[in-house]
Amino acid sequence: MTHIVVIGAGQAGASFTAKLRDLGFDGRITLVGEEPVPPYQRPPLSKGYMLGNMALDRMFLRPAAFYADRDITLRLGARAIAIDPDARTLMLADGSSLAYDTLVLATGSDPVRLPAAMGGDLAGVYTMRRLSDADALAAECVAGRRMLVVGGGYIGLEAAAVAATRGLEVTLVEQAPRILSRVAAAQTADWFRALHTRHGVTIHEGAGLAALTQNAGRITGARLTDGRALAADFAVVGIGIRPATQLAQGTGLMIDNGIAVDAFGRSSQPGILAIGDCASFPWRGARLRLESVPHAIDHAEATAAALMGAGAPYIAKPWFWSDQYDVKLQIAGLNATYDGVIVRNDAGAPSHWYFAGRDLLSVDAMNSPRAYMVAKRLIEAGQSPDPVAVADPSVPLKALLPG
Ligand code: FAD
């Protein structure tokens, strides 16, 4: 009987196995996951779960019975350590091995850590990737304590928002000249800086971290490159992630900003596919890697369908979201090559529209689901509205859509 083994029991791995059964695959499926828990949602780790608003059982993507009912074997707490692509065998850390016909790498990403020389190994220093990280952090999040956030990207800002809401004293340090510098325009950064400042978060931009300071192996604060000293009881480090490609590297798979796959999820080795955060795929003549739940699901499902013979190439429809305080940010499209931003304000719900020339690339919509929906429809249809009309809130959003 054909055996499909998926490494990585996260969003993409779970979506892939479910889709495979939906499409009628009747062979064996094994989902191997390093973490000791069934597949769960990661976004609430820096949102509702960290806030204490979301119980553990709501984190799981499916009830345990789902996998049993579909005859999907879960191997949890099992780390894959090596692949032998010629023998089509996978080695696990416990010394056992698994033979496969098709192997799917869905290993996600690893957070970038501060080097030990800068205090990255100190007690009280956390990254945010796993449930176990969030649980350890929860014990530190007590009102009145001082949290340092290193990195002003979305994960760092979300952690700051939760901690400030829980009554902690929060200081965020960003070494770039402004927060969100890799992912958003200055207009969006300005808007979120003002939001956090209103909630009492102190933000230092253009402030390099020289090192975390310590006493008896536990963080006491930070020293900045300009000589300033900050006190902190604990720290969250959100300075980016890297695709988890270690396993693939040992097998000679082509790596190019993640495991390089074609439009059908196939890697450079026959019988090995890759999906989700860990994979880069063809996109407009180049390669793209996305780190988002919608992509993990769509990529997994498209790759499962391709494996079952559907024959349709994967075409990403990038979108993303972030929750901070009472603000839902929704992002449609990718802004990488923008040269101008139009700001629109619909009754206190702003949206920032990124253009390259007259071509609409993406939109950041703050508490404006309508702006998001209109932008998403335009971008997916490859159409661009008149920038003058975009900037004018007296022109209804719907009127930006082609007639
Ligand atoms: P993952 O969900 O990370 O799953 C990979 C799994 O593989 C992990 O469980 C890992 O333990 C396992 N694994 C790795 N190596 C091995 C091995 N050798 N053996 C066995 N198992 C292994 N996205 C959004 O769209 N919106 C958001 O608001 C958002 N917020 C986020 C907040 C946080 C705190 C984090 C961490 C992520 C957030 N994301 C968000 C990103 C989103 O969660 C990821 O893009 C998505 O989970 C990717 O799915 P994946 O299956 O590729 O990887």
Side-chain angles (χ1 to χ4, degrees):
M1 189 189 278
T2 306
H3 188 194
I4 297 181
V5 176
V6 180
I7 308 177
Q11 185 73 63
S15 303
F16 182 90
T17 55
K19 188 69 179 179
L20 217 46
R21 281 290 185 241
D22 285 352
L23 293 174
F25 177 72
D26 60 2
R28 282 175 65 201
I29 303 179
T30 304
L31 183 54
V32 178
E34 184 181 7
E35 295 179 75
V37 286
Y40 60 89
Q41 320 173 49
R42 259 166 241 283
L45 296 180
S46 54
K47 307 178 182 71
Y49 187 73
M50 187 181 170
L51 205 50
N53 284 347
M54 196 166 176
L56 179 61
D57 59 347
R58 284 189 49 218
M59 295 288 283
F60 296 118
L61 292 171
R62 314 273 191 183
F66 177 89
Y67 304 97
D69 290 350
R70 282 162 185 76
D71 200 13
I72 296 168
T73 304
L74 283 182
R75 290 277 304 261
L76 300 176
R79 178 167 176 76
I81 54 166
I83 301 163
D84 181 341
D86 297 325
R88 298 210 176 196
T89 309
L90 172 70
M91 268 64 72
L92 300 179
D94 66 4
S96 63
S97 64
L98 275 174
Y100 64 82
D101 296 290
T102 299
L103 183 68
V104 184
L105 296 169
T107 47
S109 329
D110 295 319
V112 177
R113 292 172 197 280
L114 279 180
M118 290 177 74
D121 285 355
L122 295 173
V125 178
Y126 301 90
T127 51
M128 271 216 169
R129 185 73 203 173
R130 298 182 168 196
L131 201 49
S132 53
D133 299 327
D135 289 339
L137 202 51
E140 303 268 13
C141 281
V142 176
R145 297 190 82 217
R146 297 161 302 181
M147 179 169 107
L148 173 70
V149 181
V150 182
Y154 285 120
I155 298 274
L157 290 173
E158 288 183 354
V162 170
T165 304
R166 292 184 61 165
L168 281 84
E169 205 179 290
V170 184
T171 304
L172 184 147
V173 178
E174 168 56 60
Q175 71 171 12
R178 63 170 175 82
I179 56 169
L180 299 177
S181 60
R182 279 185 306 154
V183 288
Q187 290 87 339
T188 298
D190 291 348
W191 197 87
F192 277 98
R193 184 188 309 103
L195 175 73
H196 280 271
T197 304
R198 281 201 301 280
H199 284 84
V201 174
T202 304
I203 297 183
H204 298 290
E205 294 163 300
L209 180 74
L212 299 176
T213 52
Q214 55 110 7
N215 181 20
R218 182 163 176 105
I219 179 175
T220 54
R223 202 163 24 82
L224 304 187
T225 45
D226 61 11
R228 276 181 293 175
L230 304 173
D233 297 309
F234 66 101
V236 174
V237 177
I239 54 174
I241 58 175
R242 291 200 187 100
T245 56
Q246 302 89 325
L247 206 50
Q249 271 156 10
T251 61
L253 258 69
M254 189 176 136
I255 309 282
D256 180 0
N257 182 25
I259 302 161
V261 296
D262 67 10
F264 305 97
R266 296 176 298 206
S267 76
S268 57
Q269 286 275 5
I272 303 184
L273 313 173
I275 52 176
D277 272 20
C278 69
S280 69
F281 56 90
W283 171 262
R284 298 182 180 166
R287 285 205 154 269
L288 180 67
R289 196 174 61 78
L290 291 174
E291 300 159 0
S292 79
V293 165
H295 164 68
I297 297 171
D298 291 351
H299 196 212
E301 293 190 345
T303 302
L307 186 63
M308 293 294 285
Y314 175 58
I315 299 170
K317 295 177 182 168
W319 69 275
F320 190 78
W321 81 93
S322 173
D323 297 326
Q324 296 168 48
Y325 310 103
D326 55 353
V327 174
K328 178 167 278 299
L329 164 70
Q330 290 168 292
I331 303 170
L334 289 178
N335 64 23
T337 54
Y338 75 96
D339 54 22
V341 176
I342 302 287
V343 173
R344 177 181 172 97
N345 206 333
D346 295 288
S351 49
H352 298 160
W353 300 60
Y354 297 71
F355 285 84
R358 290 188 71 85
D359 294 338
L360 178 65
L361 298 181
S362 82
V363 171
D364 298 338
M366 277 72 80
N367 282 343
S368 185
R370 268 168 202 269
Y372 166 74
M373 281 313 298
V374 166
K376 193 165 187 286
R377 278 177 61 184
L378 285 164
I379 291 164
E380 286 176 10
Q383 286 168 334
S384 299
D386 174 6
V388 176
V390 170
D392 182 355
S394 71
V395 176
L397 279 161
K398 264 190 151 177
L400 302 177
L401 291 166

